[in-house]
Amino acid sequence: VTWGDPNAGGCSNAVKDRLHDVQDIYASHAAFAAIRKDGSVVTWGSPVYGGNSSCVQDELSSGVVRIYAAECAFAAVKCDGTLVTWGYPRYGGNCEAIRHQLVAEVLRASSACCTPR
């Protein structure tokens, strides 16, 4: 169940069929991301703030163990140490230029395993 401004994640009708078995929910300024028990991620809300993850949906279909939220973007850490980002590129929604550096750092800093929380 969601409520509030529909432009800021208050309406999740577009993804309501996928909002089950939710383990954790994270929020940016106007969007939400939920990790499900199977390690997949569901997002909704304002696309500018990360509510649309369709460009990385394949990468978010399994193995996600943690999400970090910023004002306009999200970063998901997968069990293999890879980092997936989406949202407003200027505010962290695109890490392609430095992705190879981030994987090593995430692996060193994370003790997460491939079992979703």
Side-chain angles (χ1 to χ4, degrees), residues 4-52:
D5 183 345
N7 297 315
C11 179
S12 61
N13 289 343
V15 296
K16 69 180 178 184
D17 293 339
R18 295 181 12 227
L19 284 176
H20 56 84
D21 298 325
V22 171
Q23 295 291 100
D24 290 305
I25 296 177
Y26 305 88
S28 68
H29 183 73
F32 295 89
I35 300 178
R36 295 174 47 193
K37 284 183 185 177
D38 64 2
S40 65
V41 175
V42 180
T43 61
W44 69 97
S46 171
V48 174
Y49 292 95
N52 180 352

Side-chain angles (χ1 to χ4, degrees), residues 85-101:
T85 59
W86 69 97
Y88 193 62
R90 185 173 173 188
Y91 293 101
N94 185 342
C95 71
E96 285 304 313
I98 59 168
R99 182 183 301 261
H100 63 284
Q101 295 170 327

Side-chain angles (χ1 to χ4, degrees), residues 52-85:
N52 180 352
S53 60
S54 60
C55 62
V56 292
Q57 195 57 52
D58 288 345
E59 295 173 85
L60 297 176
S61 64
S62 65
V64 175
V65 294
R66 180 78 166 101
I67 293 178
Y68 295 91
E71 182 178 356
C72 300
F74 293 94
V77 178
K78 297 190 68 168
C79 61
D80 63 1
T82 57
L83 189 69
V84 181
T85 59

